[in-house]
Amino acid sequence: MLWDIVKAFLFGGAICAVVQIFIDKIALTPARILVCLVTIGVILGAVGVYRPFIDFAGCGASTPLTGFGATLADG
C-alpha cells in the first residue's frame, strides 16, 4: 500500500512538474496548455495507451488533466 502512494506521488508529481515547466517556458496561455493536456489525454485514452499507465500509477496518472481526458475517451 505504501508503494502505491509513492508511485502516485512520483508519477503525478512528474506530470505536474513537466506541465509547470511548459507553462513557464512556452508563450501559450496556461488555459491553452491545459486544453492541450485534456486533448492529449483523450488521444492517449482513445488509442489505449493511457489506461495501462493509470492501472500502474494509480491516482498519480488519473488525477491530472490528462487523466480527465482519458476518462472522456473511455466514455
Side-chain angles (χ1 to χ4, degrees):
M1 181 169 138
L2 179 63
W3 177 240
D4 293 333
I5 296 170
V6 171
K7 280 193 308 186
F9 176 76
L10 291 177
F11 285 101
I15 291 170
C16 293
V18 168
V19 171
Q20 186 62 47
I21 290 170
F22 283 150
I23 289 173
D24 291 341
K25 299 294 181 184
I26 295 178
L28 294 174
T29 62
R32 289 184 181 182
I33 292 173
L34 298 178
V35 169
C36 288
L37 287 173
V38 173
T39 305
I40 289 169
V42 167
I43 293 169
L44 292 176
V47 173
V49 175
Y50 208 78
R51 177 55 50 190
F53 182 58
I54 289 174
D55 293 339
F56 176 73
C59 286
S62 63
T63 302
L65 283 176
T66 50
F68 174 68
T71 303
L72 287 176
D74 285 343

